[in-house]
Amino acid sequence: MNSKPLVWLRLLRPSHWIKNLFVLAGVFFSGNWRQPGMLMLAFEAFLAFCLASSAVYSLNDTWDCEVDKNHPRKRLRPIAAGLLSRNTGYLTSGVLILFAMVLGLRASGLLALALAAYIVVNILYSLNLKNRVLLDVFCIAFGFIIRLLAGTWGLGIAPSQWFLLCTLSLSLFLGFSKRYAELIDKERPLEEKRRVLQNYTPEFLRLLLSVTLSASLITYALYTTSSRTAEVHHTAGLIYTLPLVLWGLFRYLYRVMHGGFGENTVADVLRDRQMLLVSLLYLIATGSLLFFGGSG
């Protein structure tokens, strides 16, 4: 388990690259995937963000290695566990940032600007903003907005305003879910958890979860019923995916409120049968509507 390739792979955290699908979401939900060459351009943008996100993870692990040594799970990270040196972490991050920017510039200057913004925001988050109440979660949400803009404006595509607002609301919901899960975790006392949690309370986070979940559902519903959405996709049928979105988000909230969910969204979805089922049904329904259209 500690062979060099596997150690490097753990440092890069490829399982988290799924978050960069938001880069591709902009192309598909704008209808521009039909344009020749656009899918290849979008894939290059996706790959650039995978490199950039791995660079950020490497840099963050390098800075936090001493703190991570006292964490029950994070102590197993390659640098905290002493499997890789801090210099290796810095070097890895620098090389990945260089390749990400080169790949971004190949596509467009706006994409490179989005990559630079993503990297800067995450560096500021790691250095200080992760300890600032509310700003910590807004930084996480901003990362998803940048991904979406990279797959739209970065590729010369005008994004849907309702889809942008839905992405913002959903990413805030997932961010506050993470904080709630960390706060109610009984395995560690509060003083051993991340510093910003001392400024949150379960009651406050439950209120924020309620507000952001409601905003996510409303903005998604408005996106699906927008006349511009129907015009772009040649169908008014996306509204029929709303029950699946309701089911998925309500299920996720249920699991967060009962503990054990929220700290790792991807892993959480993969280990819950209902979440897997609703995700699969949503992908099938939405994919069918986007690719084949309909009469609505």
Side-chain angles (χ1 to χ4, degrees):
M1 289 298 292
N2 289 332
S3 65
K4 208 67 173 180
L6 288 177
V7 170
W8 279 89
L9 202 60
R10 285 165 51 196
L11 179 67
L12 301 183
R13 298 190 214 173
S15 63
H16 288 261
W17 289 352
I18 194 172
K19 299 174 185 177
N20 297 317
L21 290 176
F22 274 83
V23 176
L24 300 179
V27 175
F28 283 103
F29 281 95
S30 67
N32 284 271
W33 56 271
R34 300 180 181 91
Q35 296 183 15
M38 185 57 72
L39 283 179
M40 181 58 67
L41 201 60
F43 180 75
E44 288 184 8
F46 168 78
L47 182 57
F49 265 85
C50 289
L51 295 174
S53 59
S54 288
V56 167
Y57 292 136
S58 177
L59 194 60
N60 183 71
D61 287 2
T62 304
W63 281 334
D64 290 349
C65 64
E66 294 301 323
V67 177
D68 289 346
K69 289 178 181 178
N70 299 316
H71 192 279
R73 290 180 295 274
K74 294 180 181 180
R75 63 184 177 83
L76 300 176
R77 291 176 176 175
I79 298 178
L83 301 175
L84 294 175
S85 69
R86 296 185 67 177
N87 287 338
T88 299
Y90 286 125
L91 180 61
T92 300
S93 182
V95 170
L96 290 173
I97 288 174
L98 176 61
F99 277 103
M101 294 304 297
V102 169
L103 197 57
L105 284 169
R106 274 171 46 89
S108 76
L110 284 175
L111 178 58
L113 184 62
L115 282 163
Y118 173 82
I119 293 167
V120 169
V121 167
N122 277 278
I123 287 176
L124 292 175
Y125 173 82
S126 296
L127 290 175
N128 182 265
L129 295 181
K130 66 182 179 182
N131 298 317
R132 304 290 181 179
V133 65
L134 294 179
L135 282 177
D136 61 325
V137 176
F138 270 89
C139 280
I140 296 172
F142 192 50
F144 284 99
I145 291 296
I146 293 175
R147 288 177 174 98
L148 186 62
L149 291 176
T152 50
W153 277 336
L155 303 180
I157 301 169
S160 163
Q161 294 178 335
W162 285 125
F163 197 68
L164 278 172
L165 289 173
C166 181
T167 301
L168 174 63
S169 302
L170 179 61
S171 53
L172 286 172
F173 170 72
L174 296 176
F176 288 127
S177 295
K178 181 177 178 66
R179 291 294 178 264
Y180 184 81
E182 292 171 336
L183 186 61
I184 66 171
D185 183 5
K186 297 180 180 179
E187 293 183 9
R188 303 174 64 215
L190 182 60
E191 58 271 15
E192 293 183 7
K193 299 177 182 178
R194 65 172 77 230
R195 193 194 317 170
V196 73
L197 291 176
Q198 297 177 12
N199 299 309
Y200 286 109
T201 64
E203 295 76 19
F204 180 50
L205 285 169
R206 283 195 289 267
L207 177 61
L208 292 175
L209 287 174
S210 177
V211 171
T212 53
L213 176 60
S214 300
S216 299
L217 294 171
I218 291 171
T219 51
Y220 182 77
L222 290 170
Y223 166 73
T224 61
T225 55
S226 166
S227 58
R228 182 173 180 268
T229 301
E231 179 183 351
V232 166
H233 300 298
H234 311 293
T235 177
L238 280 174
I239 185 63
Y240 300 117
T241 65
L242 184 58
L244 295 173
V245 174
L246 284 164
W247 176 17
L249 289 180
F250 287 167
R251 174 65 180 180
Y252 192 83
L253 179 64
Y254 170 82
R255 293 300 304 269
V256 169
M257 299 301 289
H258 286 77
F261 244 53
E263 288 199 52
N264 188 329
T265 303
V266 176
D268 291 340
V269 171
L270 291 177
R271 62 191 173 91
D272 184 89
R273 290 183 179 178
Q274 282 198 39
M275 290 298 302
L276 275 174
L277 176 60
V278 71
S279 298
L280 180 61
L281 291 175
Y282 177 79
L283 289 174
I284 293 173
T286 305
S288 299
L289 289 166
L290 294 184
F291 280 93
F292 303 112
S295 61

